[in-house]
Amino acid sequence: MFMTSWIKEGAIVLAYNGVEHYEFKAIEQKWQSIWERENAYKVQNRSEKPNYYVLEMFPYPSGALHMGHIRNYAIGDVVARLKTMNGYNVLHPMGWDAFGLPAENAAIQRGIHPVEWTRQNVTNMREQQKRLGLSYDWERELTTCSPDYYKWTQWMFLLMYNRGLAYKKTAPVNWCPTCQTVLANEQVSEGGCWRCGTPAIEKDLEQWFFRTTGYVDRLLQDLELLEGWPERVRSMQEHWIGKSEGTEVTFALPGQEKGITVFTTRSDTLYGVSFMVLAAEHPLVAELAKISPRKEEILDFAQKCHRESEIDRTAAETEKEGMFLDAYCINPLNGGRIPIWVANYVLMEYGTGAVMGVPAHDQRDFEFARKYDLDIRVVISPPDQELSAEGMTEAYVKPGVLVNSGPFNGLSNIEGQKKIDAFLKEQGHGVPSVTYRLKDWLVSRQRYWGAPIPIVYCPHCGIMPVPETELPVLLPEHIAFDPGLLSPLAHVPEFVNTICPQCGRAAKRETDTMDTFICSSWYYLRYCDPNNKHMPFSKDAAAAWMPVDQYIGGVEHAVMHLLYSRFFTKVLHDAGWVKVVEPFTNLLTQGMVIKDGHKMSKSIGNVVDPEEIISRYGADTARLFILFASPPDKDLEWSDQGVEGSWRFLNRVWRLIQSQRHLFSTDGGIQGKLGRAERELYRKLHGTIKKVTEDIEARFSLNTAIAAIMELINETYHYLDNVPSEKHHEALLKETMEKTLLLLAPFAPHITAELWEQIGNTDSIHKQRWPQWDESALKAEQLTIVVQVNGKVRDRLVVLADSAEEEVQELALQAPKIQPLLVDKKVARIINVPGRLVNIVVSD
RNA sequence: GCCGGAGUGGCGGAAAUGGCAGACGCAAGGGACUUAAAAUCCCUCGGGUGGUUAACGCCCGUACCGGUUCGAUUCCGGUCUCCGGCACCA
């Protein structure tokens, strides 16, 4: 409880259980209301300053901020405030990714309408953000579930549709046969429905897709442009796209016109094919089953494979299972008869849905062949040994020389592959081909809480896009949340029944809504022009701000969200809406917040509520600690005790300024020659300015930037303690403390604003210029040189900074601690790293 | 399984480009101030070992094994463990 407050040395000091500390509550409230009143972070699209766009990934309004949010926003706010101080016109917006499953779950479980649930959460979380003192332009706030926004999300869908990038096809969904409803992956636990436990099955539905594969080459190639992205994210995207170059080879089916086409990157192993495997979904499986005596058995097996998830099917530890289809195809190279199987480890989505089995040279094929006792034919021989099919314990996948390969014997497998490809092409059995792992983006959701897909089905005119003038297609408010059967929207007749925009006769609306990833694939553009009633954004506004200079968010978005946003930007570029081809120039992927070795989560019960920290220590302490505890891109181990350290530091800063407030009534800069102690403090100050600036701007090393400011504060205290007060260099102290506050301002905006005002400034600290360092002050007068013998540190020498190399070397050889180590030894060589070390290499 | 990360004191972490391992902070121990406590300030703080309980010295130590180098937390090869993503959570 708060007990007393009194005036001490001119400042308000509060006692908390009798403990003195600066009064963060009053200070933070004071500045937050000033910033709100003055609209301090409002930004215009045009300014005489250069524009800079910093963006944190907008949150899903789940109810309350968690530590990961605080971390994300604290990092972004440091960037925004620093760039402002560096003279930029900074766009720093915030909004809400407000459509999605949890709101619908809340409706189902607690009977609260998604609109209401979302609205409450947004209100609460916005208040929390305001209590953190974040420098957002709140006039640009956007919410994806508001019709003003999703109108334009629907517009984006139409853009895709009109450009031939949105299309329909059937795709499987998870389905609960009891609830008669589609299940999200998240709603399937241990293979069963989350509500009733009934095993989920796969069911085919007509669904909308975006043709991301149409942009696959540009999505891959332009990764090279993203020099400001972490290498690991670029690499993850590259692998996600998964380009692989190979050959399409056709195996003839006796008695049939069509053959079986496979995609392979290993056409060099074609003589080693001993079986053919089809995915369960491959159309030939059903066809061949028809003429097989075991028709039922085969179809049952295919159905069973179909139900297994893709991850399970491709996992190496999953038992490979297959069934012979009682049919054969022909190897185009040697006319060999190849048995055709169906198996669980082949996917219809990748390549052609058919795989040639080369057990000797592919591990999965090898395991399959061993299990079903199929032939293993060695066609590539390692350079140093003989392979025999019987003796093999695993597939041989490395390079070698072709054997048992007819006319191609003796060639290296690389050379052989070229020859075989040429031969296949000549004979009409194969063509070079490129395959990608990337699939088209399934964007339909059979749910209520999303942007309705603006499409009408007319019995006469077919699929009709809703005209732009009729947007938005509004979500109906009144709806039952436990409807079963496909999308909840299908149960609202006044929504479904409409008229055809072309012929005016009765028609039905599409009842699927859009994947929320669509909403978040273009929001960064809307911030440029958030209140535009006529367009998603004006081209001018986008040109003024795009690309986002610095994007910050969780590494869990490294692939999907970022890839989809890149896709949207490219489509909008092609449509003439934006000039840029990539949306985000620099990307920081922040690490997770961990407690007791696990990601903070409600289910584990290791959540620390930021609210608690803010009410006990204030926003400045919370922000400072979360930035200090770990580098931004690494995981952060939360420590309640660690927070105390940041709290104590801010109090130390507070007391330092309070104790020296008398200095600030005098004028005058640093003049004349400085004494030794003064020169050291001056050097520390300017070294710190340099380090903090470079740590933030070049390395995003916010934790070491804060550590450097702590050192500077410690050094200032040492100066005050060690130099008698009558000899204090007042102008130097004044400059040191002013610049310290400036350095700290982006991290702890409230306390620095307050102290800045207290020392007599009328203009906000956040509008000041970032301090510059004096390069000439950085050179140390003395250096410590490490002396090593055979790489082991044996002594240290303090020398003048401008000592000659030979001089230092001589001093090292003569040093009393070094001499005894050289007795009876030969000095073989001396390594000299100027200003750092001398390593004397000796031998007997 | 595939793809991507990470492993340094009791703890979080620090050491652009290979060159003093452990900055800064937390915890712990000791001391000063206080009737006492809190707060604050000062000192110690990787492990082992020698030394007069000293000054000071020696050996080991950055997940594990090996390599390159005068010198490796940093580079290379291999192993183990933990974490993130895997397309309907966002």
Side-chain angles (χ1 to χ4, degrees):
Chain A
M1 286 303 297
F2 289 92
M3 306 295 285
T4 43
S5 64
W6 67 94
I7 304 293
K8 187 179 179 184
E9 292 178 29
I12 306 164
V13 172
L14 214 76
Y16 176 78
N17 286 342
V19 178
E20 287 179 24
H21 61 70
Y22 85 99
E23 199 190 352
F24 65 88
K25 260 196 180 127
I27 290 168
E28 292 186 354
Q29 269 167 24
K30 168 185 161 181
W31 288 99
Q32 282 160 21
S33 61
I34 288 173
W35 296 332
E36 178 118 27
R37 196 170 62 234
E38 292 180 349
N39 215 343
Y41 304 108
K42 183 181 167 66
V43 61
Q44 304 289 346
N45 284 357
R46 301 208 169 282
S47 140
E48 64 274 21
K49 298 173 184 171
N51 281 355
Y52 187 93
Y53 188 177
V54 53
L55 181 64
E56 296 116 57
M57 288 179 184
F58 67 165
Y60 180 78
S62 53
L65 296 185
H66 54 68
M67 284 300 174
H69 290 125
I70 312 287
R71 191 174 192 200
N72 194 185
Y73 310 147
I75 295 166
D77 205 44
V78 168
V79 174
R81 290 180 185 278
L82 177 74
K83 289 294 171 183
T84 302
M85 293 175 84
N86 273 334
Y88 288 91
N89 183 47
V90 174
L91 173 56
H92 186 212
M94 181 42 66
W96 309 95
D97 187 14
F99 274 135
L101 198 55
E104 220 161 318
N105 291 344
I108 295 168
Q109 291 169 332
R110 295 192 268 138
I112 180 170
H113 194 283
V115 172
E116 190 49 29
W117 187 82
T118 305
R119 199 188 56 76
Q120 284 174 12
N121 290 346
V122 166
T123 304
N124 182 42
M125 290 168 76
R126 187 195 297 116
E127 279 315 302
Q128 290 186 299
Q129 288 172 332
K130 290 194 171 171
R131 281 201 296 280
L132 281 166
L134 301 164
S135 59
Y136 297 131
D137 178 355
W138 286 105
E139 289 184 9
R140 293 179 187 250
E141 181 181 2
L142 57 81
T143 310
T144 59
C145 67
S146 133
D148 302 338
Y149 185 89
Y150 72 69
K151 171 179 179 175
W152 301 112
T153 304
Q154 292 171 339
W155 184 96
M156 294 289 166
F157 184 94
L158 295 178
L159 178 79
M160 295 290 175
Y161 183 82
N162 293 330
R163 297 181 70 80
L165 295 169
Y167 69 95
K168 284 193 97 171
K169 72 169 182 189
T170 58
V173 293
N174 297 311
W175 179 261
C176 172
T178 306
C179 305
Q180 290 284 296
T181 187
V182 176
L183 299 172
N185 284 347
E186 198 190 50
Q187 293 173 322
V188 180
S189 59
E190 288 163 26
C193 170
W194 63 314
R195 299 186 72 195
C196 65
T198 311
I201 59 166
E202 285 210 336
K203 183 184 164 98
D204 281 325
L205 282 185
E206 278 269 300
Q207 312 239 45
W208 284 97
F209 284 82
F210 281 173
R211 206 180 300 279
T212 42
T213 53
Y215 278 72
V216 65
D217 276 318
R218 286 162 69 188
L219 289 168
L220 181 63
Q221 255 165 38
D222 289 354
L223 286 172
E224 282 173 28
L225 303 175
L226 301 176
E227 285 167 11
W229 283 35
E231 192 49 51
R232 60 169 162 158
V233 175
R234 289 202 274 173
S235 164
M236 280 161 94
Q237 292 223 346
E238 191 183 328
H239 284 109
W240 183 265
I241 292 168
K243 180 175 184 170
S244 90
E245 293 178 77
T247 315
E248 270 189 6
V249 185
T250 304
F251 289 63
L253 279 168
Q256 293 207 33
E257 212 169 296
K258 269 188 308 181
I260 299 176
T261 300
V262 299
F263 172 80
T264 178
T265 57
R266 293 300 305 274
S267 49
D268 53 326
T269 63
L270 214 45
Y271 277 86
V273 176
S274 58
F275 56 96
M276 172 67 66
V277 203
L278 303 178
E281 298 82 359
H282 198 289
L284 259 183
V285 172
E287 265 180 60
L288 293 175
K290 266 187 245 163
I291 52 173
S292 161
R294 298 181 299 157
K295 181 181 173 192
E296 293 306 318
E297 218 179 317
I298 290 168
L299 292 178
D300 281 353
F301 176 77
Q303 189 53 238
K304 181 175 148 261
C305 294
H306 185 58
R307 272 189 235 122
E308 288 178 23
S309 79
E310 186 179 317
I311 291 178
D312 288 344
R313 282 168 69 173
T314 51
E317 73 263 26
T318 302
E319 187 66 30
K320 292 178 180 39
E321 290 187 69
M323 187 175 267
F324 181 44
L325 292 176
D326 302 315
Y328 296 86
C329 58
I330 305 299
N331 186 326
L333 285 190
N334 60 7
R337 238 164 63 111
I338 311 286
I340 307 173
W341 288 63
V342 54
N344 61 345
Y345 73 99
V346 176
L347 300 175
M348 194 60 214
E349 285 78 25
Y350 186 78
T352 60
V355 170
M356 62 185 213
V358 186
H361 305 293
D362 180 281
Q363 187 58 27
R364 285 173 309 179
D365 296 345
F366 180 82
E367 287 166 26
F368 192 76
R370 273 285 149 88
K371 176 163 177 180
Y372 291 103
D373 204 18
L374 296 160
D375 269 1
I376 296 176
R377 300 174 194 160
V378 174
V379 290
I380 298 201
S381 178
D384 49 352
Q385 79 204 62
E386 190 89 343
L387 267 190
S388 78
E390 297 73 40
M392 288 175 85
T393 53
E394 59 179 5
Y396 178 77
V397 296
K398 290 185 203 144
V401 172
L402 294 194
V403 293
N404 304 322
S405 298
F408 305 99
N409 281 341
L411 296 169
S412 81
N413 67 309
I414 313 274
E415 201 47 39
Q417 182 158 28
K418 282 184 198 153
K419 292 263 163 69
I420 288 174
D421 283 347
F423 180 78
L424 285 169
K425 197 172 172 191
E426 199 185 297
Q427 301 291 311
H429 294 307
V431 285
S433 171
V434 177
T435 294
Y436 298 90
R437 214 180 67 94
L438 182 78
K439 300 186 270 193
D440 278 340
W441 176 9
L442 197 171
V443 298
S444 300
R445 297 293 181 269
Q446 291 70 44
R447 312 208 172 271
Y448 167 71
W449 196 232
I453 291 175
I455 289 288
V456 169
Y457 299 100
C458 171
H460 308 281
C461 311
I463 296 178
M464 294 302 301
V466 174
E468 194 183 321
T469 49
E470 288 175 27
L471 297 182
V473 176
L474 287 170
L475 269 179
E477 260 186 61
H478 300 288
I479 188 149
F481 280 103
D482 202 4
L485 286 177
L486 296 178
S487 171
L489 290 178
H491 299 264
V492 185
E494 54 279 29
F495 177 84
V496 176
N497 296 314
T498 185
I499 53 164
C500 170
Q502 182 160 288
C503 69
R505 285 183 273 188
K508 294 203 183 298
R509 284 193 191 281
E510 169 64 68
T511 57
D512 283 358
T513 54
M514 287 182 240
D515 180 3
T516 57
F517 271 113
I518 295 178
C519 310
S520 58
S521 291
W522 72 281
Y523 77 112
Y524 47 91
L525 290 160
R526 184 68 178 172
Y527 281 135
C528 300
D529 194 9
N531 301 310
N532 198 316
K533 295 265 186 286
H534 312 291
M535 296 177 264
F537 54 88
S538 79
K539 293 176 185 177
D540 280 355
W545 292 111
M546 290 299 292
V548 174
D549 292 284
Q550 181 67 59
Y551 196 30
I552 304 161
V555 68
E556 66 273 20
H557 295 291
V559 176
M560 295 172 57
H561 162 62
L562 291 169
L563 195 72
Y564 295 149
S565 296
R566 296 180 60 220
F567 168 68
F568 259 72
T569 299
K570 289 178 192 306
V571 173
L572 287 164
H573 172 86
D574 290 353
W577 283 87
V578 296
K579 289 184 185 155
V580 296
V581 295
E582 285 289 337
F584 313 123
T585 306
N586 294 294
L587 173 71
L588 175 75
T589 48
Q590 71 180 67
M592 292 179 306
V593 180
I594 305 287
K595 180 119 194 292
D596 312 321
H598 301 279
K599 181 177 179 169
M600 278 192 187
S601 92
K602 277 182 196 156
S603 57
I604 300 173
N606 59 346
V607 178
V608 177
D609 186 359
E611 201 69 35
E612 224 173 276
I613 303 299
I614 294 166
S615 61
R616 188 179 305 169
Y617 302 103
D620 283 343
T621 296
R623 294 170 50 140
L624 194 72
F625 173 68
I626 209 157
L627 296 176
F628 176 63
S630 186
D633 60 331
K634 298 275 158 48
D635 287 351
L636 182 155
E637 174 75 32
W638 182 263
S639 150
D640 288 330
Q641 286 158 333
V643 183
E644 288 275 348
S646 297
W647 164 243
R648 284 203 283 258
F649 168 69
L650 288 180
N651 277 287
R652 224 162 121 74
V653 174
W654 179 268
R655 285 194 308 270
L656 175 67
I657 305 291
Q658 299 311 326
S659 71
Q660 302 299 318
R661 276 179 70 176
H662 57 276
L663 297 178
F664 295 95
S665 50
T666 59
D667 283 332
I670 301 170
Q671 284 168 350
K673 209 165 160 13
L674 296 173
R676 192 192 173 84
E678 285 74 24
R679 285 203 305 277
E680 263 167 41
L681 181 58
Y682 188 74
R683 181 162 52 244
K684 185 72 183 179
L685 170 63
H686 286 272
T688 304
I689 295 172
K690 181 179 159 87
K691 177 159 175 62
V692 172
T693 307
E694 292 179 349
D695 275 0
I696 303 175
E697 297 204 315
R699 284 186 284 285
F700 250 118
S701 184
L702 306 185
N703 54 331
T704 53
I706 294 168
I709 302 173
M710 289 174 168
E711 285 186 57
L712 177 59
I713 290 283
N714 292 345
E715 196 95 346
T716 309
Y717 269 109
H718 286 148
Y719 176 83
L720 291 171
D721 290 345
N722 295 326
V723 175
S725 53
E726 64 277 11
K727 288 192 179 162
H728 285 174
H729 194 302
E730 300 196 339
L732 172 63
L733 276 170
K734 199 176 128 187
E735 178 177 321
T736 303
M737 285 185 280
E738 280 171 358
K739 295 202 164 149
T740 305
L741 288 179
L742 290 170
L743 293 178
L744 192 57
F747 299 95
H750 308 88
I751 189 176
T752 49
E754 177 67 18
L755 289 169
W756 189 253
E757 185 185 67
Q758 283 186 17
I759 63 178
N761 298 292
T762 48
D763 221 20
S764 164
I765 190 169
H766 301 295
K767 293 181 182 160
Q768 302 304 309
R769 290 309 300 258
W770 185 250
Q772 307 292 306
W773 65 90
D774 172 3
E775 193 70 43
S776 69
L778 300 181
K779 263 182 268 155
E781 292 157 45
Q782 294 180 334
L783 296 172
T784 303
I785 305 290
V786 169
V787 184
Q788 298 180 335
V789 175
N790 286 346
K792 287 198 151 91
V793 180
R794 297 299 178 182
D795 199 7
R796 293 176 178 83
L797 300 173
V798 176
V799 300
L800 291 174
D802 50 7
S803 306
E805 259 179 58
E806 301 77 40
E807 205 180 318
V808 174
Q809 204 166 298
E810 198 48 38
L811 277 171
L813 287 166
Q814 299 307 323
K817 282 186 190 163
I818 300 302
Q819 281 279 306
L821 297 167
L822 304 180
V823 173
D824 295 336
K825 310 266 183 184
K826 277 209 303 270
V827 175
R829 74 198 252 220
I830 298 178
I831 312 265
N832 210 327
V833 183
R836 280 215 150 132
L837 107 173
V838 174
N839 184 15
I840 303 165
V841 185
V842 300
S843 56
D844 291 317

